[in-house]
Amino acid sequence: MKKYFQSLAYLVFIAVTFWAITKAIQVYEKPFSLYENPLVWIAVVALVLVILMKELLNIVAQKKAEDLILEKEGINPAEVDNWAWYKKLIKRWTKAKAIEEEDEIILDHNYDGIKELDNSLPPWWVYMFYATMIFGAVYLVRYHVLGADSQEMEYNKAMAEARRELDAFKATSKDAVIDAATVTALTSDSDLSRGKAVFNLNCAACHAPDGGGGIGPNLTDKYWVLGGGIKNVFTTITNGGRPGKGMVAWGKTLKPKDIQKVASYILKFQGTTPAKPKKAEGELYEEETSTETETVEQAKDSIQ
Ligand code: HEC
């Protein structure tokens, strides 16, 4: 009765765990990320452990049964060499001579008592050596005679293929991909209010809620450390400022769409007067398309 119960519990555990793991692999995006889904790993380890334990129990039980049979036949189980097969295998693969047989292979020179054995090369080593020779021949013919792709060529081909796929993807889904090359300034109220929310949450601490600046530069003036205009601002937010300045690369935390919105929102600060404007930093930036003829001096005057 107890035995049946054990087997049943075992089968149910295996079935349920296996089912749970398959389900998890189907459902989770990264089922084997230990950090995101530790339960999957716990289940896998538990499953393997339980199966191993069960096998171990089986082996022990079988061994006991065999010993009983041996005893019945009048043989002491302790005298049977269980490792005979293993010893034979080792002997076949090493061709090592036992110490008692060393007389057969000892060479007749003797240097101050140092003698030498004429051991044969161990077959495991010899076969590996032959394998490297075959590998070398195949390699030579494949890469130097038939001219197969080198690693560098393979890499370049894979990169070209990826670029082609990316271009095709960009061409078919225009709004899905926003990068520094395709980004445009948004103007709709909903986009700008999303931009404002992102700004107040992530950026206002350093740039002030009205863009007047603080730890970070003033965003309301026409002077930019890293370039003005939607493309430069998008790039700055995505990749961060100069090293050590405190402006991190937001591309790691914000989605390109949100970066586009917050960049569009920032550009709306242009020309406004913040409560506590920080001194202008960087260089005067003018849109390439603008026909304004304002000189640097005039611009400086208008800021002061
Ligand atoms: C920890 C403070 C800090 C936070 C938070 C921060 N910034 Fe900055 N930001 C800076 C600093 C410092 C610089 C100047 C970087 C430099 O000089 O290289 C900067 C520069 C910039 C610039 C370029 C200004 C210029 O003159 O070229 C933009 C645009 C900008 N930040 C936008 C943002 C946006 C958008 C966010 C929120 C997503 C943000 N920042 C969050 C500190 C911060």
Side-chain angles (χ1 to χ4, degrees), residues 100-247:
E100 309 84 63
E101 299 166 355
E102 272 179 3
D103 293 347
E104 297 169 20
I105 52 166
I106 193 128
L107 296 175
D108 55 7
H109 48 217
N110 182 338
Y111 303 99
D112 295 340
I114 300 174
K115 299 179 192 171
E116 196 180 354
L117 292 177
D118 184 20
N119 273 310
S120 35
L121 290 170
W124 68 263
W125 187 89
V126 174
Y127 292 142
M128 243 162 58
F129 181 58
Y130 291 153
T132 60
M133 280 156 83
I134 295 169
F135 179 87
V138 171
Y139 188 94
L140 183 85
V141 171
R142 188 173 146 87
Y143 291 100
H144 295 281
V145 179
L146 301 179
D149 285 355
S150 68
Q151 288 183 19
E152 195 181 346
M153 281 150 79
E154 274 179 7
Y155 171 79
N156 288 337
K157 274 190 187 165
M159 288 303 283
E161 173 69 24
R163 229 170 282 133
R164 220 173 306 124
E165 278 176 18
L166 186 66
D167 286 345
F169 176 68
K170 277 189 193 167
T172 50
S173 51
K174 259 259 159 328
D175 355 283
V177 182
I178 303 163
D179 57 25
T182 59
V183 67
T184 50
L186 301 167
T187 49
S188 81
D189 282 347
S190 66
D191 288 337
L192 290 178
S193 66
R194 170 71 191 163
K196 181 178 181 176
V198 173
F199 185 84
N200 287 344
L201 185 65
N202 300 294
C203 327
C206 292
H207 290 282
D210 57 10
I215 295 171
N218 185 336
L219 299 173
T220 66
D221 56 30
K222 290 186 171 183
Y223 289 81
W224 295 89
V225 181
L226 302 156
I230 185 72
K231 292 193 162 60
N232 287 324
V233 170
F234 182 90
T235 309
T236 303
I237 301 171
T238 308
N239 300 335
R242 294 168 295 174
K245 290 284 178 185
M247 172 73 181

Side-chain angles (χ1 to χ4, degrees), residues 10 52-64:
Y10 174 72
L52 282 182
M53 299 268 275
K54 174 85 178 165
E55 283 310 302
L56 204 71
L57 276 181
N58 279 351
I59 291 173
V60 170
Q62 210 174 342
K63 176 99 177 56
K64 260 191 192 157

Side-chain angles (χ1 to χ4, degrees), residues 68-114:
L68 275 182
I69 293 175
L70 285 179
E71 261 166 28
K72 246 186 209 163
E73 288 171 1
I75 305 168
N76 181 0
E79 277 165 17
V80 178
D81 187 356
N82 291 316
W83 296 100
W85 62 272
Y86 177 73
K87 286 176 189 156
K88 232 192 267 170
L89 190 80
I90 291 290
K91 197 158 173 53
R92 187 140 33 94
W93 279 89
T94 57
K95 274 200 188 159
K97 287 268 179 195
I99 289 185
E100 309 84 63
E101 299 166 355
E102 272 179 3
D103 293 347
E104 297 169 20
I105 52 166
I106 193 128
L107 296 175
D108 55 7
H109 48 217
N110 182 338
Y111 303 99
D112 295 340
I114 300 174

